Amino acid sequence: MGTPEFPDLGKHCTVEDCKQIDFLPFSCDRCNKVFCLEHRSYIKHSCPKADKQDVTVVICPLCAKGVRLIPDEDPNITWERHVNTDCDPSNYEKVTKKKKCPVPGCKDILTFSNTIKCRDCLVDHCLKHRFGPDHKCPGPKKPEPSFPFMGLLSRSKKEDPNSNRAPLTASSPKWATSFLNAASSVRASAEASVTKLSNEISEKWQIARDGMAQSSSSGSRNGQKEECPQCGAKFSSVTTLVEHVEKVHERGGNRAGGKKVTIDVCPKCSRGFRDPVSLVEHVERDHGGTSKA
């Protein structure tokens, strides 16, 4: 057997009735014996270890789950362990029930290649009813706002403020109670913010009044020009501008029924403002948040 150059070339078949020499023998991956082309399969050479790596799965009739049988273990033991640990009869309907197209009268089963999700209603349909008019698509769902504040505000404007509102009953939605609580807290915080802002404006106004004389002198030293918001006349100091507004525009405006003009002065740079809020914002932005001279 073999040649001088290849002494191990070719082997005899292990089957007793064959013993044929094969130069390209086959090795069984179960019993690790050598066989010829005719006896290479498990059945042909009656391999005693043919089922050692086989995978056998039994479908449980109670839960429709697959139970793998272990080759070296009794199937009854494997089955009993599955029933005691993994078996769930409630899963049977989920596994066996096939999903169908929701269109009335359609009996097509939705599979991997036969399912299309509608982009508007986000519901799976078959290929025949994939378009909106075919399955009477209601359209995209409108997202419900988590805090429907604007809708209730518009509704409250239409209602009479003097009318008595009916008290909330047990059948009222839960979000109505939470909305009322949130609205009351928002209203309280808004009132507190307005009060704080008015106090700050009053304080800045008093500081501006106290430092008007000093700011007017510093403004004349710096050569700054103040312009009248009514007639456009320019003055070298804020005091002169205030006197001009009080004499010319304020008195004449009161006689003619005009609106009174008030000038607010920054104690730092002697800049005049018609709005106290603008003065406060100017002091906080340009002078580091303090209005003290």
Side-chain angles (χ1 to χ4, degrees):
M1 184 173 60
T3 61
E5 292 80 6
F6 302 98
D8 297 332
L9 182 61
K11 291 184 180 180
H12 290 280
C13 181
T14 312
V15 179
E16 293 295 336
D17 298 337
C18 181
K19 294 295 182 179
Q20 179 182 356
I21 184 172
D22 197 328
F23 293 99
L24 294 174
F26 297 89
S27 297
C28 180
D29 57 353
R30 299 293 191 269
C31 59
N32 297 323
K33 294 182 180 180
V34 179
F35 300 95
C36 63
L37 178 62
E38 183 182 356
H39 300 99
R40 71 182 187 278
S41 62
Y42 302 144
I43 300 176
K44 289 293 184 180
H45 67 267
S46 302
C47 184
K49 300 180 181 179
D51 58 345
K52 199 162 189 177
Q53 295 183 2
D54 289 349
V55 177
T56 304
V57 178
V58 179
I59 303 300
C60 177
L62 301 178
C63 62
K65 291 183 179 180
V67 181
R68 180 179 178 180
L69 301 180
I70 302 175
D72 296 337
E73 189 179 40
D74 188 2
N76 295 325
I77 298 177
T78 307
W79 179 261
E80 184 177 358
R81 182 173 59 251
H82 163 73
V83 172
N84 295 332
T85 57
D86 299 334
C87 189
D88 185 10
S90 62
N91 189 51
Y92 183 82
E93 185 177 357
K94 298 179 182 179
V95 175
T96 57
K97 186 177 181 180
K98 297 180 180 180
K99 190 176 181 181
K100 295 184 179 181
C101 181
V103 176
C106 183
K107 298 181 180 180
D108 290 352
I109 298 175
L110 298 181
T111 59
F112 175 77
S113 60
N114 190 32
T115 303
I116 293 182
K117 179 174 293 204
C118 181
R119 292 180 297 179
D120 295 332
C121 61
L122 303 178
V123 179
D124 294 336
H125 295 85
C126 64
L127 293 176
K128 294 186 298 184
H129 302 99
R130 63 184 181 274
F131 297 112
D134 296 334
H135 61 266
K136 297 181 181 180
C137 182
K141 296 181 180 179
K142 296 182 180 180
E144 296 181 359
S146 57
F147 190 70
F149 188 69
M150 300 304 296
L152 292 180
L153 279 181
S154 60
R155 186 189 307 173
S156 62
K157 290 180 181 179
K158 298 179 181 179
E159 295 178 356
D160 187 8
N162 298 327
S163 61
N164 297 327
R165 296 183 179 179
L168 294 176
T169 58
S171 61
S172 300
K174 295 182 179 179
W175 64 266
T177 305
S178 61
F179 169 75
L180 292 178
N181 297 333
S184 60
S185 62
V186 170
R187 180 180 179 181
S189 61
E191 292 178 354
S193 301
V194 171
T195 304
K196 182 179 178 182
L197 180 60
S198 61
N199 294 337
E200 291 180 357
I201 292 175
S202 301
E203 183 181 355
K204 302 300 181 183
W205 171 258
Q206 185 64 30
I207 295 174
R209 285 291 188 184
D210 296 340
M212 183 178 294
Q214 182 178 355
S215 63
S216 62
S217 60
S218 62
S220 60
R221 264 195 322 271
N222 296 333
Q224 295 179 353
K225 299 294 182 180
E226 298 294 336
E227 184 177 355
C228 178
Q230 294 289 330
C231 61
K234 296 184 179 180
F235 301 91
S236 60
S237 64
V238 180
T239 306
T240 310
L241 173 62
V242 173
E243 292 177 355
H244 163 73
V245 172
E246 291 178 352
K247 291 179 180 180
V248 178
H249 300 291
E250 187 173 326
R251 294 178 182 177
N254 291 337
R255 286 196 300 267
K259 186 179 179 181
K260 185 178 179 180
V261 180
T262 306
I263 303 299
D264 300 325
V265 183
C266 176
K268 282 285 188 179
C269 61
S270 303
R271 183 177 175 184
F273 296 90
R274 299 177 62 183
D275 186 10
V277 179
S278 302
L279 172 62
V280 174
E281 294 178 353
H282 162 71
V283 172
E284 293 180 352
R285 181 179 64 254
D286 299 336
H287 301 295
T290 176
S291 61
K292 296 182 179 179

